[in-house]
Amino acid sequence: MPGPLPSSCCYSFLSFSIEIPSDANAELRFLVDVIKAVLFRFICLIRKEISKQGNHTRSYSSPLNSGIADNTTHGMQGLSVQKMLKTMPSKALITITNFVFLTVFLLVYATILPHPSSDYFENAGSLVRCSLGECHHKKAEKNFKMKAVLEEPQANLHGEKNKRVNNVVPSFFGEMRKGRIGMVNMEEDFVSEWNTHGETTRVYFQRVSQFLNWTNLFPEWIDEEEENDVPSCPEIPMPEYSEYGSMDIIVAKLPCRYPEKGWKRDVFRLQVHLIVANLATKNGKRDWRGKTRVVFWSKCRPMMELFPCDNLVKREGEWWYYEAEIKKLEHKVSLPVGSCKLALPLWEQGRKELEKSEKKVESRVRMKREAYATVLHSSEAYVCGAITLAQTLLQTGTKRHLILLVDKSISVPKHQALSEAGWKIRMMTRIRNPRAEKGSYNEYNYSKLRLWQLTDYDKVVFIDSDIIVLRNLDILFRLPQISATGNDQSVFNSGIMVIEPSNCTFGVLMRLRDVIVSYNGGDQGFLNEVLVWWHRLPRRVNLLKNFWANTSAEAREKNALFGAEPAEVYAIHYLGWKPWHCYRDYDCNWDTQEQRVYASDVAHRRWWKVHDAMKHGLQRLCGLTKRRRTELKRERRKARKMGFSDGHWKINITDPRRFPPLLIH
């Protein structure tokens, strides 16, 4: 008989491997632990009894037995085992039997227990692996080979796993001044690889909930007037910045789900950007220029809304090195996290505070670096609109420059009238929309991208030429790019928007023309796909002349705002047929079925009031063309034939512009 088994063999059964899926529930984990404990007790008890019986047998065996031939040894050992089993104490046998039944019960229960995923069953063959050879012939310290994948979700920490790369530290990092390095969204072992470059600190944070969607941050509508509720934004978890000291460099891994649809509207991606921006402003060490160093690791470009390409110092593969301007970042992160709240206070008290702040920082130098701008291209159809826009801007008392970008389609006589109206004219080459059909209305509407080339200005407020301004808008220069009113879904309306000119940004936009698909085929759809993080202005800043709800309540509310004296809105945006393209007698949108959602006689009269206050020479630029007069007559005949109940087609026309002497070419 073999000698007694060492006590360490009681642990030899643990040489098999039990793998538990990371998403397994607590019940399954507990059951696995119980089964292991039962097996442990069962095996150890058997071996203990075998050892005892072996010792007992040897104490009664004769020394002469050692001389028995080999061919009888195996038989004798077999008889010894049988004898041991027969003479095993009945109490131990009962105990073992109970353990066997309990183990079988637990195994059956584990079989029918619902598991977290189908992969758990598909890989069932690999869950438990044990060979008898391993159980009996390996040393005790090698027998303990239990493997369990237990990736518990951390309640307060988050560090996304990073794919391993050959060069984990960019080469340009060696040229940078070292110091304390803050690591965001980095795995612990990845952080340790940077220790040779400085003192690393991992920044811990709770990952934003997977149930928080982009539309929660950028809703289509909020209660701006606070009639029923005060708008609020969902909370995005942030680190405890006070727990971290000063940082010389901030390094972060950005999530990138490209080329998935809507990859830019990833809330987790935004969260990491905001954490880095806040960390830079609160913990980043400033140099003499007021800048701090930030390094991103991502195959996607970091958000230009927070980290503009002008701040990009160097790029190496998937590494992006920025020197971020802390003052600008501070302003941006102080605003609401999305369009879920207004960036510009609507009511008087909030506006007064901002206006007071505006006056404090107002200076001639700064005003020279800010401008209002609009764009005319491809035809002269909007020359009249640009003239009335300039006149209304000047009436609000603004001292900012008025910049007008025009292409060669605008004639010299029109240039003179536009200059007289208040515009500083700059020639441009129009930009084609690569996805537009030739001759279509939106063929050259990407010409608006030229606004980013106005780099002699730090900030520009763009205003469409079919808008009139009724109240001073200078307060908008206190807001960053992109600040605008909401349109529909999660997008902004580009009719009035704050931008920050940059040749670098212009270059990026131009390169993306062939890649980005505009949701509406125009510049607004394009810009909304590139610049997804924007700040909501009150709708009164850019009140759209439309009635999409098609209710009498909506008509009453909007018409009251259009006609209020003194003005309660900052600007009116004339959608549909423009006032100068209609008879002054009424809004011609009433005469066309698909345009009736844009019809408002109140807003129409408001525009003509502005027109009548202009110099006579400027009014001449707002005449009807012969072609448009013909179209108006045809539309009135169709409206009469369809019998529209509003009866605008019955109104007697008195507009003198319909007569040949006043028609324009």
Side-chain angles (χ1 to χ4, degrees), residues 218 270 274 303 305-306 332 336-338 482 531-535:
F218 293 85
L270 174 61
L274 291 175
M303 294 174 68
E305 302 92 309
L306 280 163
K332 290 176 181 178
V337 71
I482 289 275
L531 304 168
V532 299
W533 193 63
W534 55 278
H535 314 285

Side-chain angles (χ1 to χ4, degrees), residues 244-515:
Y244 304 95
S246 176
M247 297 178 180
D248 295 278
I249 306 171
I250 298 166
V251 181
K253 181 177 185 291
L254 288 179
C256 176
R257 289 163 42 193
Y258 177 84
E260 289 183 28
K261 185 178 179 182
W263 65 271
K264 281 196 171 188
R265 293 182 170 89
D266 177 5
V267 179
F268 177 44
R269 173 179 166 82
L270 174 61
Q271 181 189 24
V272 176
H273 274 93
L274 291 175
I275 289 172
V276 173
N278 277 283
L279 201 62
T281 61
K282 293 176 171 61
N283 303 77
K285 186 173 288 186
R286 308 177 187 220
D287 62 16
W288 61 274
R289 301 164 300 168
K291 295 186 176 184
T292 192
R293 296 178 294 173
V294 175
V295 176
F296 289 110
W297 179 27
S298 176
K299 66 179 181 180
C300 300
R301 174 183 288 276
M303 294 174 68
M304 292 195 297
E305 302 92 309
L306 280 163
F307 298 93
C309 59
D310 297 88
N311 296 157
L312 181 63
V313 178
K314 193 171 291 187
R315 180 186 176 185
E316 181 183 303
E318 295 182 359
W319 292 98
W320 311 72
Y321 167 39
Y322 289 83
E323 291 181 352
E325 297 178 62
I326 293 182
K327 259 191 178 178
K328 289 187 176 181
L329 270 182
E330 282 176 340
H331 186 205
K332 290 176 181 178
V333 298
S334 70
L335 295 171
V337 71
S339 68
C340 35
K341 286 178 67 176
L342 290 175
L344 176 68
L346 175 63
W347 302 115
E348 206 61 38
Q349 182 59 36
R351 282 206 309 272
K352 281 182 178 177
E353 290 176 6
L354 261 183
E355 287 165 0
K356 191 185 296 182
S357 171
E358 169 73 11
K359 287 177 182 177
K360 281 182 182 178
V361 297
E362 195 171 85
S363 67
R364 290 192 179 207
V365 174
R366 179 183 156 189
M367 285 192 290
K368 285 184 177 180
R369 300 287 299 174
E370 298 170 344
Y372 292 100
T374 196
V375 180
L376 293 178
H377 64 85
S378 304
S379 81
E380 296 182 336
Y382 283 74
V383 168
C384 172
I387 289 173
T388 53
L389 170 59
Q391 292 288 282
T392 58
L393 278 168
L394 294 174
Q395 287 168 13
T396 66
T398 185
K399 295 189 172 49
R400 267 66 175 188
H401 290 172
L402 309 185
I403 304 300
L404 175 62
L405 299 180
V406 300
D407 72 346
K408 61 184 180 180
S409 67
I410 310 300
S411 64
V412 174
K414 300 295 193 302
H415 278 209
Q416 295 171 348
L418 289 162
S419 295
E420 184 183 348
W423 293 109
K424 296 180 182 297
I425 297 177
R426 298 192 184 185
M427 295 299 297
M428 68 164 185
T429 301
R430 60 187 181 177
I431 300 174
R432 191 177 188 281
N433 178 348
R435 298 178 182 273
E437 294 182 9
K438 189 171 182 179
S440 62
Y441 80 96
N442 62 344
E443 184 176 6
Y444 290 99
N445 59 6
Y446 280 19
S447 300
K448 192 180 287 187
L449 303 183
R450 294 284 182 199
L451 293 165
W452 274 270
Q453 290 186 298
L454 296 173
T455 52
D456 46 335
Y457 296 99
D458 295 325
K459 207 163 286 186
V460 167
V461 173
F462 169 79
I463 306 179
D464 263 335
S465 56
D466 57 354
I467 290 175
I468 60 171
V469 177
L470 303 177
R471 298 179 62 173
N472 189 287
L473 286 171
D474 289 351
I475 199 171
L476 297 186
F477 291 105
R478 294 284 290 145
L479 298 172
Q481 173 179 286
I482 289 275
S483 295
T485 57
N487 199 65
D488 54 10
Q489 298 180 1
S490 295
V491 304
F492 60 85
N493 185 284
S494 62
I496 294 181
M497 61 180 178
V498 182
I499 71 161
E500 296 168 2
S502 157
N503 284 324
C504 176
T505 302
F506 174 74
V508 173
L509 295 175
M510 289 295 286
R511 288 192 294 275
L512 291 176
R513 283 183 308 152
D514 297 315
V515 180

Side-chain angles (χ1 to χ4, degrees), residues 36-86:
K36 285 160 49 183
V38 169
L39 290 174
F40 173 81
R41 296 291 300 163
F42 174 61
I43 294 175
C44 283
L45 187 57
I46 289 178
R47 289 183 174 175
K48 184 176 179 181
E49 292 300 325
I50 291 175
S51 179
K52 286 166 59 179
Q53 293 298 327
N55 290 336
H56 178 74
T57 303
R58 280 196 303 275
S59 64
Y60 289 98
S61 60
S62 169
L64 295 176
N65 289 339
S66 59
I68 299 176
D70 290 342
N71 60 346
T72 62
T73 300
H74 296 291
M76 292 296 295
Q77 289 177 343
L79 292 172
S80 297
V81 171
Q82 291 176 5
K83 184 177 180 180
M84 281 188 293
L85 291 175
K86 289 179 180 178

Side-chain angles (χ1 to χ4, degrees), residues 544-551 554-555 558 562 575-577 587 589-600:
L544 305 181
K545 187 176 79 81
N546 62 31
F547 301 91
W548 288 333
N550 197 26
T551 64
E554 179 192 34
K558 278 199 167 182
F562 291 145
L575 305 183
W577 283 115
D587 189 340
N589 285 291
W590 289 112
D591 292 338
T592 308
Q593 180 66 53
E594 60 273 16
Q595 301 287 102
R596 289 170 66 84
V597 292
Y598 306 121
S600 168

Side-chain angles (χ1 to χ4, degrees), residues 195-213:
N195 286 333
T196 56
H197 299 276
E199 180 189 347
T200 58
T201 302
R202 191 181 181 199
V203 179
Y204 294 94
F205 64 96
Q206 180 181 351
R207 179 169 176 163
V208 67
S209 169
Q210 61 179 332
F211 301 109
L212 184 62
N213 299 317

